[in-house]
Amino acid sequence: MAGIVTFAEQRDGKLRRASLEAVSEARRLADALGTTVGAVLIGSGVEGLADELAAHGADEVYVFDDAALSRYATEVWARAMAQVVGDAKPKAVLVPFTAMGKDLAPRLAAKVGAGLLSDVVGLAVKDGRLEARRPMYAGKAYATVRWEGDPQMATLRANVFALGARDAARKAEVVKGTVDTAARARATAIHATAEGKLELTEAQVIVSGGRGLKGPEHFHLVEELGGAFGAAVGASRAVVDAGWVDHQMQVGQTGKTVSPTLYVACGISGAIQHLAGMSTSKYIVAINKDADAPIFKVANYGIVGDVFEILPKLTAQAKAYFAAKG
Amino acid sequence: MKIIVCVKQVPDTEARIRIAPEGNAIVESDVNWIVSPYDEFAVEEALRIREAKGGEVVLVGLGPERGQAALRSGLAMGADSAVHLKDPLFDAADTAGIARALATAIRALAPFDLVFTGQQGVGGDNSQIPGLLAEMLDLPQVTMAVKVELEEGKALVNREVEGAHEVWETSLPAVVSAQKGLNEPRYASLKGIMAAKKKPIDVKDAAALGLQAADLAPRTKVVALELPPPRPPIRMIEGDADTQVKELLRLLHEEAKVI
């Protein structure tokens, strides 16, 4: 019976990176607590993914594999997870803070009576209990939070918790389960909107553009720089609200929260609501013609300059750099 | 159509945050309070449905005395009435306790067709209330809605997830949470603001909801609140554009080791 249970989100038969991050973190915590890790896999034809979860630290993989589980449905997934939590009585339950995790975790928490903390960016073991750290007020404060009672449940911000070393020799016990697949709400159609595009919340490198680009006709400069870096492309609220790009690309408080290794802000002034969505990035580069722009207060590297001059040069030199590097 | 909308009052996103001496909360006197922007999308959507199909829009909000301003804002936009859940017992509640109080109040408003909430309350940004409410009310949920269409006894809801646009079908009643992109909220008119002053706000405490301290006991507790750790000092890259770009790539490779 696993001491820490994680939800292993998969989409189209592929495990999300955030799922592996959750398993990796569960492994670290379980080692500190002297307990085991269980991962829950729900879908159609997904049993084969159990090996990957084992390689990242799962001792047990609970598999719900059924043709009727090909599309995510909140009630069914919550029911399956609640079954596992009810049987295993874990100390903790970790779920990625993705669109699916955001939708699932509260319903599950209410079902099993767990205290739930959202968008957690740090976990530690203190006196045999967990202690979480999470940003509040647009990242202007960080809360340290503890739970009363078990299970201690958290959703984890993507790209913050390190992936553990992959050990293909590790094996997990597979526990198969069945679940009632009835649901009152379910997806009837799914349209891919980002064919071939990198997902912002999962990207290791993000290049974002703001009002400094002056108009939608110049946004290609940001996309080309993104292409040179193999990066996902984001945008500030100002340019989303102005209709230059889709809301899906917005980074910030009313958009996506991202935490890449490298974030390049081009012509973005750095309003607090933008910083809320990207200030946990590991390295931030700011390119802006206004030396007083607040973005320079959070950046590691700053270039005061004209994006129309800097971006094409940076794109060209980056292409040459990556080509030489192979 | 009877539509319930949950409305929360939150600190203005531009507010400067200071930590209170107890070390686990913010200094509230500094803060300008607003209606959580996602809740405005929720109120707007409810009003549009009422305008198309008839019915009523009832707001439910939980918070101290000042929270009534958020309900008045929603009434000024056009909602018909409001329920204000106010009790010192609620002040220490966590998300589960808040959802329990809201769910109890909403149950008392049955029968209804829809419960709208914002996708998240700005500030805490937990994104928990929609799912908690749906489970407690034993209703289906569709979160992060960017489009809602009503048909006989059901709703079609478009939602955005990573890299995909989904269409969900749900039976009614259901809990639907509003994402940015759902609509453009209206501004309250002067007439609306005047009318809102006369609209009823039903104030209820925990006892009126039949809730006791044990029902609201928090399962999570903030033990410390701190300002964010300072970021390392910035390194400004000087020179002409060619030099700056070359130096940036060198630093990213040699110093940051990220490329």
Side-chain angles (χ1 to χ4, degrees):
Chain A
M1 291 285 113
I4 301 182
V5 167
T6 71
F7 171 60
E9 176 177 344
Q10 60 83 25
R11 204 178 271 270
D12 303 326
K14 273 198 203 125
L15 282 171
R16 302 295 290 261
R17 183 188 153 98
S19 308
L20 298 178
E21 290 167 5
V23 171
S24 302
E25 182 62 16
R27 180 75 263 158
R28 283 187 285 271
L29 297 170
D31 288 343
L33 291 164
T35 186
T36 56
V37 174
V40 185
L41 196 48
I42 306 168
S44 173
V46 294
E47 195 183 332
L49 300 174
D51 289 343
E52 191 62 15
L53 295 166
H56 282 87
D59 301 300
E60 284 156 7
V61 181
Y62 302 88
V63 180
F64 295 83
D65 200 326
D66 187 325
L69 297 171
S70 62
R71 274 180 188 171
Y72 169 71
T74 318
E75 290 167 89
V76 183
W77 263 239
R79 203 177 287 137
M81 285 292 293
Q83 264 173 239
V84 173
V85 171
D87 289 345
K89 302 199 171 33
K91 291 176 196 298
V93 179
L94 306 182
V95 176
F97 195 56
T98 54
M100 194 186 289
K102 256 182 226 188
D103 184 72
L104 171 66
R107 187 142 201 146
L108 173 62
K111 242 183 202 330
V112 301
L116 172 62
L117 295 175
S118 301
D119 198 15
V120 165
V121 298
L123 283 167
V125 174
K126 294 268 167 76
D127 310 321
R129 305 277 305 159
L130 297 186
E131 186 174 273
R133 205 171 140 72
R134 62 179 305 268
M136 290 184 74
Y137 307 111
K140 284 181 281 189
Y142 278 76
T144 303
V145 197
R146 289 189 195 146
W147 288 261
E148 309 274 330
D150 289 342
Q152 305 165 84
M153 190 169 167
T155 48
L156 309 188
R157 182 177 288 193
N159 259 349
V160 170
F161 294 89
L163 280 186
R166 192 177 178 284
D167 178 0
R170 282 196 54 129
K171 292 284 170 253
E173 184 193 343
V174 172
V175 183
K176 291 185 192 180
T178 55
V179 63
D180 172 9
T181 58
R184 292 166 289 182
R186 57 170 72 246
T188 55
I190 298 175
H191 310 284
T193 49
E195 213 66 78
K197 274 193 198 169
L198 286 167
E199 166 53 31
L200 275 170
T201 52
E202 292 174 355
Q204 296 302 305
V205 182
I206 293 174
V207 175
S208 276
R211 210 158 20 190
L213 272 300
K214 291 194 162 56
E217 67 277 18
H218 303 306
F219 206 78
H220 67 94
L221 294 174
V222 178
E223 277 157 358
E224 283 153 18
L225 181 59
F229 273 91
V233 176
S236 71
R237 184 174 78 180
V239 310
V240 170
D241 285 354
W244 298 5
V245 296
D246 190 77
H247 171 241
Q248 288 271 35
M249 288 169 69
Q250 186 183 327
V251 172
Q253 194 163 33
T254 47
K256 288 181 174 159
T257 302
V258 299
S259 203
T261 308
L262 175 62
Y263 188 91
V264 184
C266 310
I268 291 176
S269 66
I272 184 69
Q273 73 83 31
H274 187 74
L275 302 184
M278 47 64 80
S279 62
T280 54
S281 303
K282 281 155 208 86
Y283 284 91
I284 297 169
V285 173
I287 304 166
N288 200 299
K289 68 176 178 356
D290 174 10
D292 295 324
I295 191 75
F296 289 116
K297 291 200 171 66
V298 299
N300 301 79
Y301 301 115
I303 292 179
V304 176
D306 182 353
V307 286
F308 294 100
E309 190 186 3
I310 301 286
L311 297 196
K313 286 186 194 293
L314 185 54
T315 301
Q317 285 204 27
K319 273 187 189 158
Y321 168 84
F322 289 111
K325 201 179 166 198
Chain B
M1 274 262 154
K2 183 168 177 182
I3 306 171
I4 316 294
V5 188
C6 296
V7 174
K8 188 187 183 190
Q9 191 186 44
V10 301
D12 186 341
T13 50
E14 299 295 325
R16 195 168 74 93
I17 295 298
R18 282 198 301 139
I19 310 295
E22 310 84 71
N24 63 356
I26 58 169
V27 177
E28 293 208 345
S29 58
D30 289 2
V31 171
N32 178 35
W33 299 91
I34 60 168
V35 178
S36 182
Y38 294 94
D39 296 348
E40 292 187 322
F41 303 135
V43 173
E44 177 64 33
E45 198 64 18
L47 294 175
R48 289 185 190 192
I49 292 170
R50 186 195 63 189
E51 281 155 11
K53 310 221 170 228
E56 63 171 322
V57 174
V58 182
L59 310 179
V60 180
L62 179 147
E65 187 61 31
R66 60 168 162 75
Q68 210 161 96
L71 294 171
R72 289 279 173 216
S73 298
L75 292 172
M77 283 173 75
D80 298 283
S81 63
V83 181
H84 183 192
L85 310 180
K86 187 177 69 138
D87 194 305
L89 271 181
F90 298 150
D91 297 346
D94 64 356
T95 46
I98 291 166
R100 182 157 306 287
L102 290 170
T104 309
I106 290 169
R107 218 176 277 123
L109 295 167
F112 51 80
D113 300 285
L114 266 169
V115 178
F116 273 114
T117 71
Q119 165 53 29
Q120 66 206 64
V122 159
D125 295 304
N126 291 297
S127 298
Q128 290 186 20
I129 295 299
L132 291 171
L133 268 186
E135 177 64 22
M136 289 173 184
L137 293 167
D138 189 19
L139 294 178
Q141 71 186 65
V142 187
T143 57
M144 288 172 270
V146 292
K147 187 179 173 193
V148 178
E149 286 175 301
L150 292 181
E151 292 180 7
E152 195 54 44
K154 65 180 186 182
L156 296 178
V157 181
N158 291 24
R159 63 193 297 266
E160 277 175 7
V161 300
E162 298 93 349
H165 198 91
E166 300 180 340
V167 184
W168 285 50
E169 188 179 307
T170 179
S171 62
L172 296 179
V175 176
V176 175
S177 78
Q179 168 69 296
K180 184 175 176 179
L182 179 60
N183 54 45
E184 203 54 60
R186 69 194 66 188
Y187 288 101
S189 64
L190 188 59
K191 198 174 147 216
I193 293 167
M194 296 311 286
K197 291 181 179 169
K198 297 198 187 90
K199 288 179 181 171
I201 296 185
D202 185 8
V203 181
K204 288 187 170 178
D205 62 9
L209 295 174
L211 295 172
Q212 289 155 10
D215 301 316
L216 301 162
R219 294 167 185 153
T220 62
K221 267 188 185 154
V222 175
V223 293
L225 194 65
E226 297 158 291
L227 296 177
R231 291 206 54 111
I234 188 167
R235 182 147 171 179
M236 297 304 295
I237 302 169
E238 313 290 344
D240 63 23
D242 285 307
T243 314
Q244 285 176 315
V245 163
K246 199 170 163 211
E247 178 64 0
L248 174 63
L249 289 172
R250 186 191 71 78
L251 287 166
L252 291 176
H253 176 61
E254 290 177 13
E255 194 178 87
K257 299 187 169 63
V258 291
I259 62 169

